[in-house]
Each structure stands twice: as structure tokens, then as C-alpha cells.
Amino acid sequence: MNRIRISGKHYEEIKKHLFPGDEKEAVAVALCGRSKWQGNVTMLVHEIVLIPYEACFERRGDFVHWPTNIITPLIEKAHAQGMAILKIHCHPGGGEFFSDYDTESDLDLFTGIHSWLDDGLPHASCIMLPGGRIFGRFINEAIEFEKVDQILVAGSTILNWRYTSHSFVAEEMQLRNLQAFGKKTISMIRQKKIGVVGCSGTGSIIIEQLKRYGLGEFVLVDPDFTDKVNLNRILNSTIKDAENKLPKVEVMRRSIDEVGFQTQVIVFDTHITSPEVIKELAECDILFCCVDGVEGRHVLNLISSFYLIPLFDLGVRLDADGEGGIDNIFGSIHYVQPGGSSLLSRKQYSIDKLAAEGIKRTNPEEYENRERNGYLSKVNESSPAVISINMQVASTAINDFLNRIHPFRNVDNECVSFIRIIFGELYMEYQFDETPCLFFNKFLGLGDIEPLLNLSELSDASKAA
């Protein structure tokens, strides 16, 4: 499958430039990272260059002639960093096709680019139509055209255009969902691949809802097994599962298979820092973070940034009163779009806690020694959340997800970065925070680099792709 992904920020900049209101063609060029996994090739927009209108030799409603030497610095960057070039122009009058002039222009431009870069890897050319939809083609080293199968925009509203055959929707089983959201939205869900990391309290409920919307494919990650202490909140778990120490991901796989929607399931009963896990999650259209710890949140935010994937993070906090009771209960749903703010910049975790959790996982004795001597932050233990709280938080997250692929709320998606539920006050609020995170944004769209995710413990892992 050939794919292109764009952050919401870059998409809006390109759209504004290509459609300035003069009904003439315009052009932009992007430097793209790459991701390769099991036959799929994805280009990920890292940096854009908007070709100035005044620099073009000629612009008409069906034609743009521009000086290609203006992107020489971008091609030099692509050569130095092993990246790809994406050209995108507009058809202000519509027309979902590449004209003869478009093809002539692409052949000329990309013959030169392939000759210069000489890496045997494809580049791409796309067209944006009025309204913002994009379609395109890859240009391989033989200067042959290959259709782009999917283009995803990871913005406040998630745009996802697929140019392959649609998946079958079991209309009898999906009748109520179809009545609520329509065939188009249910078909969109059917075509999605979603990663859920953490299959316990909130995670099992996220999975339950997505599977009953007829999701096409899951990637489930959780290194833990089912225990008796989990039975109060993991959906579909049984006492037999706890007695047999069945991995949580296997409980989820069984429950998905038994429903009968023919949803595909990939499971990993390992830690998220496994290279294979990271690369499989990087293939997903959406990610859900349902973990208590810091390290999982950090790695998922890295995957979101490197591979331009929207991320939903769920959290539950209970404040004890010190006398065996609870003062208040809080739930949060953070939506992270690449190029905006991050879980780190929103203070959902700290670098100190991240370091402590990593050492505890890889070297427990060293962690105990450093924590005892005050050199490390104490790693939080798992939250004592219960199913009724988890249900409301997970349901709010799924409704937020549904609204971002099919807006139905009276509040615009671009106004909502995260949602907070204050159970003690019977109150729910939303807030906006999209101040770019300086730490994560330098990784925007880099894709497969060495080391993978810029994590030293994953050195050489990206070569396995």
C-alpha cells in the first residue's frame, strides 16, 4: 500500500496557499520522511516550501509554470537525510485527474530528482481539489506512476481519503450504528487500523466499543496477564482467565473474534519498546493510550510525532482523603495532533518520572538504590480505578474520536485539545492548548530513522523494517 500522511498544521498551510481566492493554480513542495513495513510505503510530510506566486513564470486556472531550481535546498536536504520529495498543486476548477501537462511536468521534475538522489526510492505528486481533498501518485525510480492508496491528515478533525475498494459492512449487524452515523462513517471505521496500548481498565472498554462499531483491524499491546485483581474492571475477563494467567491481549482477541464482525487482530504481550511493536503501531491510523505509566505515554507520543498519527490519551485519578476514603475523582481525555502540543508540554508526565520508570523496567536494583538515595522520582503505582469511572472516561474518548472523523458536536474540533471530567462536581469541561511542543515537533514526520524513534536502546532496529 502507498500512503501519504500530513499534520493538520501543514495541511492548513498548504490549503491556504493553494487556494488564495484568485482561481489560479499554485504549487507547494514538501520534504518527507519515509516508513516501510511489510510491503507498505508511507511518506510523511516533515517540512514544506510554498512556491511564491510571484516567483512563478505563469499561473492560470488550468496551468502553473514555476522555477524548479527554487527547491534545490530542499532536494539537498533530501539527499543528506535520505528523505523524499512531494509536489502538490491545485485544480481550482476541480477535475480529479492528472492532465497531460501535469504528467509532462512530473516526468521532467522527478526524472531530475531521481537522478540527483539516486536512492531507488519513490517520490510523489499530488493534487488538491476545491474543498481540500487530495489524491496523488508515487513516481518510482523507473519513472513509472503508482496510485496513492491512502492520504491521512492528522489534524483537529481527522481526514482520511482511501482510493482502494471499500470494506464490506454487515448492515444487519450494524443497523443501529448506521442509523446514528450513516454508512459513510461506519465504512470509514471498518477501514481503519487502530492501536490500543493497555488492555486493562479503560483499554478493554475502548476495545469493546470499537469492535462493536465494526473496526477493521486492531493492534493490541499489553505485557501483563489477567489476575484476580483485574476482574472488577477488564471487560470479558473470567476467573478461568485469571487462574490460567492468560495474557490480557489474548482475552481481548478472544472477545473480538467471538462477536463475529471479522475484525483482524494483531496482539503483542510485550512492552511497547519492542521494535516490532513500534513499527506495527506506526502502521495504524489512530492510537489510543490506556496506560498508567509514563514510559508508554512518551513512546506513543514519539510514534505520533515521527509517523504523523492522531493519539488519544486516557487518564483516571482518584484523590484519597487520607482516612480510607476519596476526596474526588478525575478523568481526562487528551487528543494529541502531531505538530501541536504534546502530553509532555501539557504536563501529563515529567522527564524525571520518565527516567525513573525506564530504569525501574530495565534495572530494578539500580532503581531501588537511586530512589532510596533520592536520585530518582518515585514511579507511580497503578490507579485503583473502578469500572463505572473507566466506562465514562472511555466512552467520552470514543465519542471524541467519532466527532473527529464525523463532526456532530456544537463545539468545533479545533477548540478542543482535552476534556476533563470532575466526578465529584458532576462537571465536564474542555480546554484548548495547541502551543507547539519544541521537544516533539523536531521529530515531526521523520519516519524511520536510526535509531528508531531516536531512542538509543533501539539502535539498528529501524534497519529490520
Side-chain angles (χ1 to χ4, degrees), residues 448-459:
D448 298 337
I449 68 167
E450 173 58 32
L452 193 61
L453 297 186
N454 201 43
L455 296 175
S456 58
E457 66 181 282
L458 297 175
S459 182

Side-chain angles (χ1 to χ4, degrees), residues 17 25-30 49-59 63-72 74-75 85-89 101-102 105-106 108-110 113 125:
H17 176 74
E25 288 195 8
V27 64
V29 181
V49 172
L50 307 175
I51 306 303
Y53 311 127
E54 64 273 13
C56 296
F57 299 126
E58 186 177 3
R59 292 177 62 232
F63 174 90
V64 60
H65 183 201
W66 57 285
T68 56
N69 65 329
I70 202 169
I71 64 167
T72 297
L74 207 66
I75 299 174
I85 297 294
L86 163 67
K87 167 196 164 188
I88 179 167
H89 74 286
Y101 179 78
D102 292 337
S105 174
D106 282 351
D108 183 56
L109 175 65
F110 289 102
I113 289 174
S125 176

Side-chain angles (χ1 to χ4, degrees), residues 168-444:
F168 172 73
V169 174
E171 296 194 13
E172 183 178 359
M173 299 173 70
Q174 289 278 29
L175 180 59
R176 296 296 182 264
N177 292 335
L178 290 166
Q179 289 173 335
F181 292 102
K183 188 170 183 177
K184 181 179 178 181
T185 298
I186 298 305
S187 178
M188 287 168 57
I189 296 172
R190 183 65 181 169
Q191 295 178 72
K192 290 195 184 305
K193 180 175 183 176
I194 292 182
V196 181
V197 179
C199 297
S200 193
T202 54
S204 69
I205 303 165
I206 289 290
I207 294 164
E208 180 73 17
Q209 294 175 87
L210 289 174
K211 79 184 184 188
R212 296 188 186 278
Y213 275 114
L215 180 69
E217 186 171 4
F218 277 109
V219 178
L220 307 179
V221 183
D222 196 312
D224 293 335
F225 56 82
T226 312
D227 206 342
K228 290 182 180 179
V229 72
N230 306 138
L231 298 180
N232 74 319
R233 62 188 183 277
I234 298 183
L235 298 191
N236 301 300
S237 62
T238 67
I239 185 65
K240 186 176 179 180
D241 297 332
E243 291 171 346
N244 292 333
K245 304 295 184 184
L246 190 67
K248 293 176 182 177
V249 291
E250 294 298 342
V251 174
M252 296 300 105
R253 189 212 297 265
R254 180 189 66 207
S255 73
I256 294 166
D257 290 343
E258 288 177 345
V259 170
F261 281 96
Q262 299 182 345
T263 299
Q264 301 299 306
V265 189
I266 299 172
V267 300
F268 295 97
D269 58 355
T270 57
H271 194 266
I272 191 175
T273 51
S274 159
E276 186 181 3
V277 172
I278 290 169
K279 286 298 295 173
E280 199 63 62
L281 288 171
E283 291 291 293
C284 293
D285 301 304
I286 310 285
L287 297 172
F288 280 88
C289 177
C290 303
V291 301
D292 291 328
V294 169
E295 199 171 18
R297 284 189 162 92
H298 182 70
V299 173
L300 279 166
N301 213 146
L302 284 172
I303 295 172
S304 172
S305 296
F306 272 90
Y307 295 97
L308 304 183
I309 308 174
L311 169 65
F312 293 86
D313 175 80
L314 286 69
V316 176
R317 191 183 89 224
L318 285 77
D319 287 350
D321 62 6
E323 299 178 358
I326 294 173
D327 275 337
N328 211 336
I329 303 172
F330 303 89
S332 65
I333 300 94
H334 284 260
Y335 176 67
V336 177
Q337 55 172 309
S341 59
S342 70
L343 295 175
L344 178 64
S345 65
R346 295 180 197 173
K347 303 188 188 309
Q348 294 306 291
Y349 66 89
S350 68
I351 294 297
D352 288 345
K353 288 282 181 65
L354 175 64
E357 192 171 298
I359 292 173
K360 185 176 183 180
R361 175 176 60 85
T362 58
N363 193 339
E365 291 184 4
E366 177 67 13
Y367 169 79
E368 292 296 335
N369 180 56
R370 293 195 188 189
E371 196 275 327
R372 185 168 50 251
N373 290 285
Y375 294 116
L376 285 176
S377 299
K378 186 173 179 60
V379 173
N380 292 336
E381 299 301 325
S382 59
S383 169
V386 294
I387 192 167
S388 58
I389 301 300
N390 292 338
M391 283 276 192
Q392 188 164 346
V393 172
S395 294
T396 303
I398 290 295
N399 286 329
D400 190 37
F401 155 71
L402 290 171
N403 191 76
R404 292 186 188 276
I405 66 170
H406 175 155
F408 57 83
R409 291 186 301 220
N410 293 327
V411 179
D412 290 338
N413 282 327
E414 54 264 32
C415 298
V416 183
S417 301
F418 57 92
I419 301 167
R420 182 178 291 112
I421 306 170
I422 303 96
F423 287 87
E425 305 298 329
L426 291 176
Y427 182 66
M428 181 185 295
E429 64 181 10
Y430 65 89
Q431 293 185 23
F432 172 81
D433 179 6
E434 291 302 339
T435 304
C437 175
L438 297 179
F439 176 81
F440 280 98
N441 281 0
K442 61 179 179 281
F443 302 129
L444 191 69

Side-chain angles (χ1 to χ4, degrees), residues 88-108:
I88 179 167
H89 74 286
C90 64
H91 279 181
E96 191 173 333
F97 58 88
F98 284 88
S99 70
D100 291 342
Y101 179 78
D102 292 337
T103 296
E104 180 183 341
S105 174
D106 282 351
L107 289 173
D108 183 56

